[in-house]
Structure formats: structure tokens, C-alpha cells
Amino acid sequence: MQTLIAWAGRIALLGVLAVAFSGAIDPHHDAARNAPPADVVEHVAYGYLLTVLTIVSLPRVSPWLIGAGFLGVAMTFELMQVFGLVSGTFQWKDVASNIGGVAAALVPFALARRLSPRGA
């Protein structure tokens, strides 16, 4: 499993390096062209920060339970938007952004678990 994780990390690293290098050498690089909408960035940031800060604040609670809790809350709000109970509109990109933010917060825990000698 460690070999798989290492190779997945290497492939992701090469992808990021390729994108960064192409932007660095492109004389007409337009960062704004590739930027996600502000709403998407906001959902990712809140998902990440709320998850990380709750994990730090509640060290005895499982990080996985915290992540699942925030995903549940996010989905509840999105569904409440469908019925007009809260402002806004349901958007799949918001759901994906919430999942991305929580997942980004939990990836280090998953890696630590996989890379630890006992997988604990």
C-alpha cells in the first residue's frame, strides 16, 4: 500500500509541476482565466478550516466523525436551499467544493494511518 501511495503522490506532484511550469513559461499567462469562482473557493476554504479547527479543538473526537459531521451539515444546508428554507440555490459545485475542503483536511490523517508502521 505504501508503494501505491508513493506513486500516486509522485504522479500528482508531476501534474502540479507541469501546470506550474507551463504557467511560468507562458508569456500570456492569465491566472484569472483558470481561477475557480469565488463561491467555490469559499466552500472549499470553509470545509477545510472548519474541519481542521474542529479536529484541533476536539482532540478526543475522531477526525473521521468530524469530517462526516461537516459533510452532513453541508448537505443539509444544500437540501434546505432546494426547499427555500435558507437563502441560496442548490448547486452541485457547492457540494463538490464542500467535499473537497473536508477531504483536504482529512488526507493527512489518511496518509499518516497508511504510512505508519502498524497502519493504526
Side-chain angles (χ1 to χ4, degrees):
M1 184 55 109
Q2 287 180 343
T3 303
L4 176 65
I5 292 171
W7 277 105
R10 290 173 186 144
I11 291 168
L13 175 61
L14 286 175
V16 172
L17 286 172
V19 170
F21 182 73
S22 70
I25 63 171
D26 181 3
H28 304 291
H29 177 69
D30 180 13
R33 177 184 67 213
N34 298 321
D39 182 45
V40 169
V41 174
E42 188 176 67
H43 279 266
V44 171
Y46 281 135
Y48 177 81
L49 290 171
L50 288 169
T51 303
V52 167
L53 294 174
T54 304
I55 290 169
V56 170
S57 300
L58 303 171
R60 292 185 179 170
V61 178
S62 167
W64 310 107
L65 183 59
I66 291 170
F70 278 120
L71 288 179
V73 169
M75 284 305 300
T76 300
F77 272 101
E78 290 298 323
L79 290 174
M80 288 171 63
Q81 290 175 344
V82 169
F83 299 108
L85 300 173
V86 295
S87 66
T89 57
F90 176 88
Q91 296 179 351
W92 283 108
K93 68 178 183 174
D94 290 347
V95 172
S97 300
N98 292 329
I99 292 169
V102 171
L106 294 175
V107 162
F109 292 96
L111 285 174
R113 174 179 271 182
R114 293 288 182 212
L115 297 176
S116 72
R118 298 199 158 224

